[in-house]
Amino acid sequence: MFQLKLFGVPALERDGVQLAGRASQRHRLALLALLALAPGRRLSRDKLIAYLWPESDPERGRNLLKVATYVIRSALDESALLSTGDELRLNTDLVQVDVVEFESALDGADHERALSLYQGPFLDGFFLSDAPEFEHWVDRERERHAGGYRNALEALAQTAADAGDFPKALDWWKLRAAQDPYDSRVALQLMRAYEASGNRAGALQHAAIHGRLLQEEFGMEPSAEVVALAERLRSTLAEVAVLEDRGSRIADRETGIADRGSRIDSAVVLSSALVPLPAPVPLRSGRDGKRWGAGIALTSVLILAGAVWAVWPRTPDPEQSIVVLPFVNLSGDQDNEYFSDGLTEEIITRLAAIPGLKVISRTSAMHYKGSKKSLPQIARELKVDHILEGSVRPDVGRVRISAQLIDARVDGHIWAENYEHKLHDNFRVQEQIARDVAHALEVKLAARTRRLLVKQGTSDAQAYELFQRGQFAWSTRTREGHERAIAYYHRAIERDSSYGDAYAGMANAYGTSFLLNLSSLPETEVISRMRWASARALALDDESADAHVSAAVASIWQRNWPAGEREFRRAIELNPGNATAHSWYSLLLRGMDRSEDALRESRRAAELDPFGIVPTHNYAVQCYVMRNYDCALEQFRRTLEIGLYPSAVRWLGLIDAQQGKWDAAIAQMQKAIELAPERPDFLADLAYVHALAGRKADAHAALRRAKSQPLEAFNVARAHIALGEADSAFAWLERSSWHWGHRAYRSDPALDPVRSDPRFARLFARVDREMGMK
């Protein structure tokens, strides 16, 4: 029996084994998908050709379809595709289709069976170039089946609640909320499920996250019901705090997290059950949408030139510093929020290319969107001297922008300017206007910096907008976010195949999806795609810092760490304010056993992006491996102030273990596992803590649960070392992945007991040779 899997990454299988070869190529799978979901499982040949090969002439289209049917019949069975007149039909007696079974389960109200079949969005990550009708069909089917999945989750949640199984109902509502984090109705149901399960703090936390997402994406407030329930829960927690000191500490901490919800960064990575996914906002169509997108590049250059003049003295200080606060959208139309945010990011990106100017990253700047804090207070929190702020007001065919530069130390104006410009053909005049403004203000910049200030990535406004949406989705660091980001980059490239930034974004997304174990594709496929996109980005724009970052990651995966270091250094030279480049470079340096250099780069990344959860976390880990536990403790706590990041909880447990606080360490590890039950490395680290505490039986029990994932071999080895089982430890160290810096903790305190073992020196000598370091 053959199986056609259309949920998640599509595949053709026989008795559970995936088939390779020509039958599994894209057009063949697309043909099977169309037939599987067509009424009666059949379609005319002309319709299939129109879907799959719309640009081909009739004769060529017929020939392509004939070849595809021949290949499928040869690989499966002659009766897999049946002909009836001019129609083709899929033989479902021979080929089982997960989508067909899913729909049947829903019709029969077998919701658990339906959920077990739904392994991801329909045809996830699948596309056919030059086949727009097929792509539209995929979009419609994807949304239809996602709706069925959401309905099944709600039905199961209601059934569990009716039966009094509130923890189970909570689990279902968590999954449902992850599908639609902007729906206040769903948020309210999840909060009620938390409350029924006795976790009021969890309900408050979700209310804060939901409110922040609505405000950032749509400028909206949560529903009155959500606000009312949150207020009631806060009051209840406050009453509990009066009655019990220990309860007070817990309530204060959890309520604090909820009250800081407006400060949670949009790139926060939460546990898989509560990940807020960025919903794709429909693109603005027609001339207005294009004008808005096109206006970003020109107006940002105008404001940028004034800002550079104001903060760049003729004899520069060792380092000037600035934050560009989110420009305020004064249009009254929330659809235009994307323009003002895009304008802010464009200015940040261009300013960050200037040597000697410290520019706070987008992630941390967006933290202050809508903030009521004073400018001096913001400057103190970010440790900057200058603040650029402004507003955007669109009008018919025009845009008005006001900008002002503030000396935050004295809250005094340095420079202010108003601009009004026609939104017409802006890309062509962008460079000339930038040169005119720079000349008028007598700005003296190096030739390379001038080029970067006026660099144009694409002349296609919609491609630019798709790229920006991809960047936002990628920043979530979730599986769904990566998949959505890659899809956006693909669409941007389809509109402009010479758009280097989109290729660089795609390469970085593939790299982090594998790095964080978020990809459903095989390792070889991920690396192949990443290398291709990176090479394309670099060929298109050798002065793109992002392209060099992606090239660095590609070099690392090819086990050429010196080349990776050269690319990171080039990226930082091109854009000293690129926090991602500094942060990822620190990971590489850590793996190369250059601890001081790694500490410097990780600290710099955290300074550039003080509200970025990943740079702050990386800095904390570097402090840990250098045995500076006070620094590590401070930075991990800082990470958790930014957002609920399960990995930071895990590392706090490891710090407690190093200090002999066994009960606290185990409690932290168990909390981390509860937040991210899909992480086998957390289980291995629980085993490590149990072993250090002398609880060998518990350690072995945790290890048995963790050993299902070979990519987590290092963490398993660490536990065996703590158990005193050196032979097993080295066996697992040999299986560890040493591709990337954060998997090469050769300075980790856990390895100290085996450093004198001759096998340790031999292991890392081999690793160094394989990475090209010796």
Side-chain angles (χ1 to χ4, degrees):
M1 193 70 178
F2 295 94
Q3 296 87 35
L4 178 61
K5 302 294 182 65
L6 300 178
F7 284 131
V9 178
L12 190 59
E13 299 178 354
R14 181 171 188 172
D15 299 327
V17 178
Q18 186 169 340
L19 298 180
R22 295 193 299 164
S24 294
Q25 290 178 357
R26 287 184 178 272
H27 277 83
R28 278 60 151 173
L29 289 174
L31 171 60
L32 290 170
L34 285 166
L35 292 174
L37 273 67
R41 319 298 171 206
R42 68 181 69 204
L43 279 175
S44 70
R45 285 177 170 82
D46 288 342
K47 187 64 175 176
L48 289 168
I49 292 169
Y51 271 123
L52 301 175
W53 300 283
E55 301 300 323
S56 301
D57 59 70
E59 182 178 352
R60 175 171 169 74
R62 286 268 172 175
N63 186 57
L64 289 170
L65 179 59
K66 183 178 180 180
V67 171
T69 56
Y70 172 79
V71 169
I72 292 172
R73 285 167 172 161
S74 299
L76 305 184
D77 187 272
E78 190 67 27
S79 63
L81 296 181
L82 304 174
S83 298
T84 306
D86 195 46
E87 291 183 332
L88 280 179
R89 179 167 63 87
L90 178 66
N91 184 356
T92 53
D93 292 333
L94 182 67
V95 182
Q96 290 180 335
V97 185
D98 57 353
V99 175
V100 174
E101 295 182 47
F102 173 79
E103 293 178 330
S104 177
L106 288 180
D107 291 341
D110 189 352
H111 298 112
E112 292 203 37
R113 168 65 176 160
L115 294 187
S116 70
L117 290 164
Y118 191 88
Q119 296 298 307
F122 176 73
L123 289 181
D124 195 18
F126 187 91
F127 71 98
L128 292 181
S129 58
D130 301 322
E133 188 174 350
F134 175 79
E135 290 298 308
H136 292 321
W137 175 79
V138 170
D139 288 341
R140 292 193 302 271
E141 291 297 317
R142 186 175 291 151
E143 179 55 33
R144 183 169 70 88
H145 296 306
Y149 175 69
R150 293 191 293 265
N151 292 338
L153 287 172
E154 293 196 20
L156 287 169
Q158 188 61 53
T159 300
D162 292 344
D165 189 350
F166 299 114
K168 191 65 175 177
L170 175 61
D171 289 340
W172 294 127
W173 279 116
K174 284 180 180 179
L175 292 172
R176 176 64 183 90
Q179 294 295 308
D180 195 352
Y182 303 109
D183 191 328
S184 286
R185 180 188 65 83
V186 175
L188 183 65
Q189 293 292 347
L190 177 56
M191 291 171 64
R192 288 171 175 168
Y194 268 117
E195 182 184 22
S197 299
N199 187 353
R200 298 184 182 92
L204 283 172
Q205 178 192 330
H206 185 72
I209 293 170
H210 174 66
R212 177 62 171 169
L213 287 172
L214 284 177
Q215 184 61 43
E216 283 194 343
E217 188 68 16
F218 305 112
M220 296 171 56
E221 298 297 328
S223 69
E225 292 85 352
V226 169
V227 174
L229 179 54
E231 290 300 324
R232 179 170 63 79
L233 291 171
R234 283 195 185 93
S235 299
T236 303
L237 283 175
E239 293 171 4
V240 172
V242 174
L243 299 175
E244 185 180 350
D245 289 340
R246 181 172 179 273
S248 174
R249 291 193 296 272
I250 295 173
D252 287 344
R253 182 175 70 249
E254 300 292 354
T255 306
I257 292 174
D259 288 340
R260 290 192 297 270
S262 62
R263 298 173 51 197
I264 294 177
D265 188 274
S266 62
V268 166
V269 182
L270 299 173
S271 65
S272 62
L274 280 173
V275 169
L277 305 178
V281 180
L283 298 176
R284 292 179 60 83
S285 60
R287 290 179 296 172
D288 289 344
K290 292 180 180 178
R291 288 170 176 170
W292 269 91
I296 292 175
L298 172 69
T299 50
S300 63
V301 169
L302 288 169
I303 295 172
L304 179 63
V308 171
W309 165 75
V311 301
W312 189 304
R314 287 176 174 79
T315 304
D317 293 336
E319 181 176 79
Q320 293 283 336
S321 55
I322 186 172
V323 59
V324 182
L325 293 182
F327 274 55
V328 179
N329 169 30
L330 299 179
S331 69
D333 183 354
Q334 294 303 322
D335 283 346
N336 292 334
E337 200 77 13
Y338 201 82
F339 173 82
S340 54
D341 286 355
L343 172 61
T344 305
E345 181 165 2
E346 190 75 11
I347 297 172
I348 291 171
T349 299
R350 294 176 186 246
L351 280 175
I354 299 176
L357 183 63
K358 173 187 171 183
V359 183
I360 297 300
S361 74
R362 174 196 183 280
T363 302
S364 295
M366 286 298 174
H367 168 82
Y368 291 95
K369 186 173 182 178
S371 173
K372 302 300 182 183
K373 292 181 178 180
S374 67
L375 296 183
Q377 183 180 356
I378 293 173
R380 286 193 299 271
E381 291 180 1
L382 295 175
K383 298 182 176 61
V384 296
D385 300 327
H386 302 90
I387 293 177
L388 180 66
E389 64 172 359
S391 61
V392 181
R393 185 190 298 276
D395 202 348
V396 179
R398 310 180 71 85
V399 63
R400 295 181 176 87
I401 296 175
S402 298
Q404 58 181 344
L405 189 73
I406 308 296
D407 184 338
R409 294 164 294 188
V410 296
D411 198 12
H413 286 72
I414 297 175
W415 163 86
E417 190 61 82
N418 295 315
Y419 300 97
E420 181 173 342
H421 192 76
K422 293 181 179 180
L423 292 176
H424 175 68
D425 207 17
N426 287 325
F427 287 117
R428 289 197 178 95
V429 300
Q430 174 184 346
E431 182 173 352
Q432 186 59 51
I433 290 180
R435 290 181 183 276
D436 291 346
V437 173
H439 176 74
L441 297 176
E442 297 182 0
V443 177
K444 299 186 183 299
L445 303 174
R448 183 186 64 79
T449 301
R450 285 202 302 272
R451 290 199 305 274
L452 293 174
L453 289 178
V454 299
K455 184 172 79 73
Q456 175 182 320
T458 180
S459 59
D460 187 301
Q462 289 192 28
Y464 175 83
E465 185 172 356
L466 288 164
F467 170 74
Q468 292 297 331
R469 294 188 186 280
Q471 292 290 89
F472 178 78
W474 176 56
S475 71
T476 64
R477 294 301 195 271
T478 66
R479 180 185 297 273
E480 294 84 357
H482 276 77
E483 292 167 346
R484 190 168 298 178
I486 290 170
Y488 276 130
Y489 297 138
H490 267 300
R491 291 171 61 190
I493 291 167
E494 286 174 356
R495 292 197 61 86
D496 183 356
S497 61
S498 64
Y499 193 2
D501 290 343
Y503 287 100
M506 184 185 298
N508 289 334
Y510 277 124
T512 53
S513 71
F514 186 74
L515 171 67
L516 301 176
N517 200 23
L518 298 175
S519 177
S520 56
L521 296 173
E523 174 182 353
T524 55
E525 179 71 12
V526 175
I527 294 176
S528 174
R529 294 185 184 189
M530 179 183 62
R531 290 170 58 186
W532 171 81
S534 170
R536 182 65 176 156
L538 211 54
L540 288 167
D541 188 359
D542 186 62
E543 289 195 332
S544 165
D546 287 339
H548 283 279
V549 169
S550 68
V553 177
S555 296
I556 292 167
W557 288 120
Q558 295 175 72
R559 294 179 174 267
N560 188 345
W561 286 17
E565 181 176 16
R566 288 194 298 271
E567 294 293 349
F568 276 133
R569 292 171 68 89
R570 177 60 173 157
I572 292 169
E573 177 188 1
L574 289 168
N575 188 343
N578 191 317
T580 299
H582 286 284
S583 187
W584 290 8
Y585 184 27
S586 75
L587 299 181
L588 176 63
L589 292 167
R590 185 191 309 163
M592 299 171 77
D593 205 21
R594 290 163 54 184
S595 297
E596 291 296 335
D597 292 339
L599 181 66
R600 180 194 67 244
E601 293 297 325
S602 63
R603 183 191 299 118
R604 182 59 171 172
E607 290 171 351
L608 291 168
D609 195 1
F611 286 99
I613 200 164
V614 174
T616 305
H617 180 269
N618 287 346
Y619 178 32
V621 173
Q622 186 57 35
C623 291
Y624 175 88
V625 299
M626 295 183 70
R627 279 71 164 175
N628 187 345
Y629 299 129
D630 289 340
C631 169
L633 190 63
E634 177 185 357
Q635 294 304 317
F636 282 127
R637 286 175 175 168
R638 167 70 177 155
T639 303
L640 291 173
E641 287 179 1
I642 299 170
L644 185 56
Y645 196 35
S647 183
V649 178
R650 177 263 299 271
W651 284 100
L652 287 175
L654 293 176
I655 293 174
D656 286 334
Q658 294 300 328
Q659 297 176 341
K661 302 174 184 177
W662 310 122
D663 291 341
I666 291 170
Q668 291 281 25
M669 294 308 308
Q670 290 173 336
K671 180 180 178 182
I673 293 168
E674 180 183 348
L675 289 170
E678 77 284 359
R679 292 286 299 269
D681 52 329
F682 288 8
L683 286 169
D685 288 338
L686 174 62
Y688 170 69
V689 172
H690 277 310
L692 287 179
R695 304 173 184 179
K696 291 190 174 183
D698 292 333
H700 281 293
L703 271 179
R704 284 193 293 272
R705 295 168 58 197
K707 287 183 177 180
S708 61
Q709 293 282 348
L711 282 177
E712 313 307 334
F714 177 85
N715 303 75
V716 174
R718 184 159 55 183
H720 280 296
I721 292 172
L723 286 165
E725 300 167 355
D727 291 343
S728 296
F730 278 104
W732 281 91
L733 284 173
E734 290 287 346
R735 295 174 58 184
S736 297
S737 170
W738 304 106
H739 289 280
W740 184 248
H742 84 296
R743 293 195 185 279
Y745 292 119
R746 64 178 75 192
S747 301
D748 194 302
L751 301 182
D752 290 351
V754 297
R755 291 187 191 278
S756 60
D757 192 307
R759 290 173 290 184
F760 186 89
R762 289 197 298 270
L763 170 67
F764 283 101
R766 175 181 63 79
V767 170
D768 287 344
R769 286 194 304 272
E770 292 178 354
M771 303 307 170
M773 292 188 290
K774 288 185 180 179

